[in-house]
């Protein structure tokens, strides 16, 4: 229970990471997520990165970017980054989740309950880091939970446990911030002028902090990320419909998004609906029909 009731964080130190990808393997193993195992089954990404992106069965990807160093004896620097959920304080995914599957815990972790997910994919649109991913096999979303099940038992996350050079640390958030600041000061003294600690204030404060040796742009991280504007739209729609329940808002949003032809890069609402169970589709259709009926009644002044 050691990590259940205090604000916690993971600290990733890019300057200690060797790019071994042991953390990726540990994540798959602990969370029992399948991988492609055949020879050359994964697409070549042009770098050491593999797989190329997060996915429905992949919660963590180490990213590899080559940067010129300006040093003739060691001409390339690797910017090795870490893509996974960052467990935002102002978590857009939680604010927009239509089923309560995504929850913010007291210790700062954004947990995910697969059994509650209805596959609506709104969380994908709300996340500025493009983290939650759709899983074709069961029509649901998946993302890192910071190994909440391990934290409940007083254990650190599986990826942290396996990291040999201690590029990953875990503990009280304030301690992780202090350690991150110490490392950044050290790196700056060594000549890495752009070194920074990312996540102290972004999205209200992240619970995965990162010491980034070459500055956040080199790792593809956004400057001053913000939750997607769609959350405001969804929250505005609740009082308008006066129906108030998250489920009904979900139904309304499905029809709204379909009507305006909303489409995300990887999966549209209509594509997601194909993976819903007949019960889920019927429920959404009932909610939209009920909403339209009430709106008609309101127009007639009933
Ligand atoms: S296990 Fe540690 S050193 Fe290896 S890739 Fe992950 S963070 Fe980097
Ligand atoms: S990184 Fe994205 S998925 Fe993770 S808590 Fe923040 S908004 Fe949610
Ligand atoms: S905290 Fe757990 S779920 Fe998240 S990336 Fe690490 S091993 Fe995977």
């Amino acid at each position: 229970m050691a990590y259940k009731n205090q604000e916690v964080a993971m600290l990733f130190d890019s300057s200690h990471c060797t790019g071994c990808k042991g953390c990726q393997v540990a994540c798959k193993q602990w969370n029992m997520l399948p991988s492609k195992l055949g020879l050359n089954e994964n697409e070549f990404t042009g770098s050491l990165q593999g797989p190329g992106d997060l996915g429905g069965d992949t919660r963590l990807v180490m990213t590899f970017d080559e940067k010129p160093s300006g040093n003739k004896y060691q001409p390339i620097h690797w910017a090795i980054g870490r893509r996974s959920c960052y467990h935002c304080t102002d978590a857009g995914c939680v604010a927009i989740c239509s089923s309560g599957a995504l929850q913010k815990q007291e210790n700062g972790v954004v947990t995910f309950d697969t059994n509650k997910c209805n596959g609506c994919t709104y969380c994908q649109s709300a996340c500025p880091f493009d983290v939650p991913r759709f899983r074709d096999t069961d029509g649901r979303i998946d993302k890192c939970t910071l190994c909440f099940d391990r934290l409940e038992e007083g254990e650190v996350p599986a990826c942290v446990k396996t990291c040999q050079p201690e590029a990953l640390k875990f503990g009280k958030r304030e301690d992780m911030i202090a350690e991150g600041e110490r490392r950044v000061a050290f790196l700056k003294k060594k000549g890495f002028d752009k070194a920074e600690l990312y996540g102290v204030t972004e999205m209200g404060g992240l619970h995965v902090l990162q010491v980034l040796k070459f500055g956040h742009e080199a790792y593809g991280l956004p400057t001053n990320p913000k939750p997607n504007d769609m959350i405001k739209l969804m929250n505005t729609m609740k009082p308008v419909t006066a129906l108030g329940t998250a489920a009904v808002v979900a139904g309304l949003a499905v029809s709204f998004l379909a009507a305006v032809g909303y489409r995300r890069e990887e999966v549209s609402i209509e594509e997601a609906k194909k993976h819903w169970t007949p019960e889920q589709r019927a429920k959404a259709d009932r909610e939209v029909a009920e909403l339209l009926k009430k709106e008609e009644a309101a127009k007639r002044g009933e």
Side-chain angles (χ1 to χ4, degrees):
M1 295 287 171
Y3 297 114
K4 206 175 172 187
N5 300 315
Q6 56 184 329
E7 194 176 13
V8 292
M10 180 189 295
L11 177 67
F12 167 63
D13 186 341
S14 66
S15 66
H16 274 164
C17 177
T18 60
C20 71
K21 299 194 238 180
C23 49
Q24 281 186 203
V25 176
C27 180
K28 289 265 185 187
Q29 282 183 330
W30 181 258
N31 296 298
M32 295 188 283
L33 295 164
S35 280
K36 291 178 184 168
L37 295 176
L39 185 65
N40 295 330
E41 261 193 308
N42 277 305
E43 204 177 319
F44 179 52
T45 60
S47 78
L48 285 175
Q49 189 171 322
D53 201 357
L54 298 173
D57 290 322
T58 303
R59 295 180 175 186
L60 168 64
V61 170
M62 298 308 293
T63 57
F64 294 76
D65 284 294
E66 284 182 356
K67 306 285 166 207
S69 70
N71 176 339
K72 70 175 177 179
Y73 300 110
Q74 191 187 14
I76 296 295
H77 275 156
W78 282 104
I80 304 175
R82 186 181 191 281
R83 288 212 60 209
S84 191
C85 176
Y86 301 118
H87 299 272
C88 315
T89 297
D90 299 335
C93 58
V94 174
I96 209 164
C97 179
S98 65
S99 66
L102 286 156
Q103 296 282 336
K104 183 98 207 153
Q105 304 297 331
E106 269 179 39
N107 62 4
V109 178
V110 174
T111 52
F112 177 68
D113 183 343
T114 311
N115 294 324
K116 286 189 181 165
C117 177
N118 61 23
C120 70
T121 72
Y122 302 160
C123 52
Q124 289 190 319
S125 316
C127 174
F129 301 106
D130 194 19
V131 165
R133 294 306 171 102
F134 191 71
R135 182 163 48 219
D136 288 331
T137 47
D138 65 359
R140 290 171 183 172
I141 286 287
D142 200 44
K143 75 159 198 77
C144 160
T145 59
L146 216 63
C147 287
F148 194 75
D149 51 345
R150 293 176 62 90
L151 305 190
E152 282 189 308
E153 299 301 325
E155 292 288 340
V156 298
C159 52
V160 175
K161 183 79 177 175
T162 209
C163 180
Q164 292 300 306
E166 297 189 0
L168 293 170
K169 292 192 168 76
F170 190 85
K172 280 191 203 170
R173 188 169 186 268
E174 62 195 53
D175 293 346
M176 295 299 102
I177 290 176
E179 171 66 6
E181 285 171 345
R182 191 185 66 75
R183 284 295 301 163
V184 168
F186 171 80
L187 288 167
K188 282 189 186 286
K189 264 195 211 155
K190 290 282 178 188
F192 294 99
D193 298 337
K194 291 189 170 176
E196 65 173 301
L197 179 60
Y198 188 88
V200 178
T201 57
E202 285 78 6
M203 298 290 283
L206 306 180
H207 293 83
V208 175
L209 300 151
Q210 304 188 64
V211 173
L212 301 173
K213 195 169 161 185
F214 303 114
H216 66 274
E217 288 97 344
Y219 301 82
L221 285 161
T223 304
N224 196 15
K226 295 266 180 269
N228 191 300
D229 281 348
M230 203 170 78
I231 298 167
K232 284 188 211 142
L233 171 70
M234 298 285 282
N235 287 333
T236 316
M237 288 165 100
K238 286 183 195 173
V240 168
T241 63
L243 296 177
T245 68
V248 172
V249 172
L252 173 62
V254 167
S255 65
F256 171 80
L257 293 169
V260 299
Y262 169 80
R263 189 181 169 83
R264 194 180 167 278
E265 195 180 328
E266 286 166 33
V267 60
S268 71
I269 295 294
E270 284 309 312
E271 280 164 356
K273 277 175 78 176
K274 285 182 203 155
H275 299 277
W276 291 5
T277 61
E279 291 75 28
Q280 285 170 334
R281 273 197 296 271
K283 185 167 176 271
D285 290 344
R286 269 198 314 275
E287 287 161 356
V288 172
E290 188 186 343
L291 174 70
L292 293 174
K293 217 162 80 185
K294 291 201 179 210
E295 283 185 345
E296 283 301 314
K299 270 188 214 156
R300 291 194 303 269
E302 289 170 15

